[in-house]
Amino acid sequence: MKNEILYFTFLILFSCGNQPYELRFDKYEDLKETTNPRIKGWFPNIINSDSYDLRSDSHLNICDFVKFSYSENQSYDSIFLKNPKITVASFQQKIKENENLKPKWFPNSEEINLNDFEIVLADGFDVARKKSTKEIFCICNPYRFPIR
């Protein structure tokens, strides 16, 4: 009987640990109005007031996936000019390393290409801008980058 209880407890704990901490905001103002700094901490500080459809799926101490759309190119041009460039291959590798945790709304590694994406390191995240759709995809691995 004790073994069955231990086994059941282990299954519950193990299955709960595999679920991401999911956050969704329709627009920037919704995120900005949040008073809980822990919630804001799942998103990079590069998000501006023209952002919308903000999403974050975080797997504690493993990785964090972020996506948002934007309407103004100007607000992000400087971020992609001043921050260190990341190679497409490096970004693809991070996606592959966390493939089993990647949310459906995050692109597959094969979708990332030089023609439509530019990638930089900003605020502890690898930040990829998809120019054709005005979307930004971020991935952070806390073991590789410092926590903000």
Side-chain angles (χ1 to χ4, degrees), residues 57 59 63 65 95-96 98-109 111:
D57 277 23
H59 298 267
C63 65
F65 293 95
I95 294 171
K96 288 176 185 176
N98 297 288
E99 189 69 36
N100 60 329
L101 303 174
K102 182 182 73 62
K104 291 180 181 180
W105 46 259
F106 203 86
N108 294 320
S109 60
E111 296 175 65

Side-chain angles (χ1 to χ4, degrees), residues 45-48 70 72-85 118-122 127 129 136:
N45 291 325
I46 64 167
I47 298 174
N48 292 318
Y70 62 93
E72 298 293 325
N73 281 336
Q74 296 171 224
S75 52
Y76 296 98
D77 286 345
S78 65
I79 293 168
F80 286 87
L81 285 174
K82 70 177 184 177
N83 286 293
K85 304 289 184 210
E118 56 184 327
I119 308 163
V120 296
L121 176 62
V127 180
R129 172 164 66 168
I136 293 185

Side-chain angles (χ1 to χ4, degrees), residues 29-94:
E29 290 80 23
D30 297 337
L31 173 63
K32 187 178 177 182
E33 289 175 5
T34 301
T35 58
N36 186 337
R38 287 185 182 185
I39 290 176
K40 288 182 179 179
W42 293 115
F43 292 93
N45 291 325
I46 64 167
I47 298 174
N48 292 318
S49 60
D50 68 321
S51 302
Y52 61 95
D53 189 24
L54 298 102
R55 301 172 181 214
S56 172
D57 277 23
S58 301
H59 298 267
L60 298 176
N61 296 325
I62 300 173
C63 65
D64 186 19
F65 293 95
V66 174
K67 174 207 173 278
F68 61 93
S69 298
Y70 62 93
S71 58
E72 298 293 325
N73 281 336
Q74 296 171 224
S75 52
Y76 296 98
D77 286 345
S78 65
I79 293 168
F80 286 87
L81 285 174
K82 70 177 184 177
N83 286 293
K85 304 289 184 210
I86 301 293
T87 65
V88 168
S90 175
F91 194 76
Q92 289 172 324
Q93 183 60 36
K94 278 205 179 148

